[in-house]
Amino acid sequence: MISPRRPHSLGDDDESTPLQRAQVLVADTAGRLAEFWGFTRTMGRVFGLLYVSLEPLTQAEIGERLCMSTANVSMSLAALIQWRAVHKVHRPAGRKARYQAETELRKVIRHVMRNRERRELLEAKDSFAVATKILRDLPRSARSVDEKFALDRIAHLQWVVRISDRMLTLLLGQGRLDLKAALGEDVGSVAPR
């Protein structure tokens, strides 16, 4: 069993409450997970803290609890707002902006998938099409063994992108994935090589 890493914002002599220690542990873990998925660790830490905080927090409160600079918190909040993972909360009584996490994680995941993964798939599709055209523009009789091999491999990559795009479309639309129904004969057959 892997033991959780020690939160780097809490020391042995820290007088924080059990809740604060748990919140920082969640924040640090969310930071590692965010980094794994291609976001910054600080974005994950800020999101993690906000997600397990009952009340919306100010930028200063986030920085203090996570031992982060104001600039780092500000950049992380701006990015999280852009990804719709965090919302600014306006309260009539106070002037300071407060922030809270989007609690419906499926919404965040869908937004990220639509705006990041889908874009990557489209760019890959376009690049593979250009690479294919470069090689197909050669007269068939003039293509070397290496060029024919590359064309076959590019075709396989295009197949992977098509399947990935179908799976992403299903995940974004229905929230569940039935591979047999979605991919038809592609499932169970050996993918082209």
Side-chain angles (χ1 to χ4, degrees):
M1 182 171 143
I2 298 173
S3 62
R5 294 183 188 172
R6 181 176 185 74
H8 67 271
S9 10
L10 297 175
D12 289 330
D13 56 349
D14 195 340
E15 295 183 22
S16 58
T17 68
L19 173 62
Q20 291 168 331
R21 289 194 304 273
Q23 287 174 327
V24 170
L25 180 59
V26 168
D28 288 344
T29 303
R32 288 195 316 276
L33 289 171
E35 199 169 41
F36 175 78
W37 289 106
F39 295 96
T40 68
R41 185 176 290 249
T42 55
M43 286 172 61
R45 293 184 75 228
V46 170
F47 177 80
L49 174 64
L50 291 173
Y51 191 78
V52 294
S53 296
L54 178 63
E55 294 295 322
L57 302 175
T58 65
Q59 188 173 331
E61 290 168 332
I62 295 167
E64 182 181 316
R65 290 188 194 181
L66 297 177
C67 298
M68 288 173 55
S69 71
T70 302
N72 219 347
V73 172
S74 178
M75 288 188 307
S76 295
L77 285 170
L80 288 165
I81 288 170
Q82 182 180 6
W83 286 110
R84 298 184 188 168
V86 167
H87 307 285
K88 195 182 273 193
V89 178
H90 298 284
R91 295 221 170 139
R95 286 201 251 175
K96 287 187 178 182
R98 295 186 167 274
Y99 302 88
Q100 68 183 22
E102 170 59 60
T103 57
E104 184 55 57
L105 294 178
R106 286 180 293 183
K107 285 182 183 179
V108 176
I109 292 167
R110 280 190 184 123
H111 182 76
V112 169
M113 289 177 130
R114 271 192 196 106
N115 293 288
R116 191 175 75 169
E117 277 68 12
R118 172 63 46 78
R119 184 177 57 234
E120 288 298 325
L121 288 173
L122 292 174
E123 288 177 15
K125 179 181 172 187
D126 292 344
S127 295
F128 294 149
V130 170
T132 299
K133 182 176 178 355
I134 290 169
L135 294 173
R136 286 219 170 120
D137 282 349
L138 296 170
R140 194 172 261 214
S141 60
R143 290 182 197 152
S144 70
V145 172
D146 288 342
E147 290 161 345
K148 290 175 187 174
F149 179 82
L151 268 172
D152 287 343
R153 288 296 171 99
I154 294 168
H156 179 69
L157 291 171
Q158 289 172 311
W159 179 84
V160 169
V161 168
R162 279 193 310 275
I163 296 302
S164 299
D165 189 48
R166 286 190 209 167
M167 291 170 51
L168 184 59
T169 298
L170 287 168
L171 287 170
L172 292 173
Q174 298 173 349
R176 63 178 190 224
L177 183 62
D178 181 354
L179 284 176
K180 275 192 172 180
L183 304 178
E185 62 187 296
D186 292 339
V187 175
S189 65
V190 178
R193 297 223 161 142

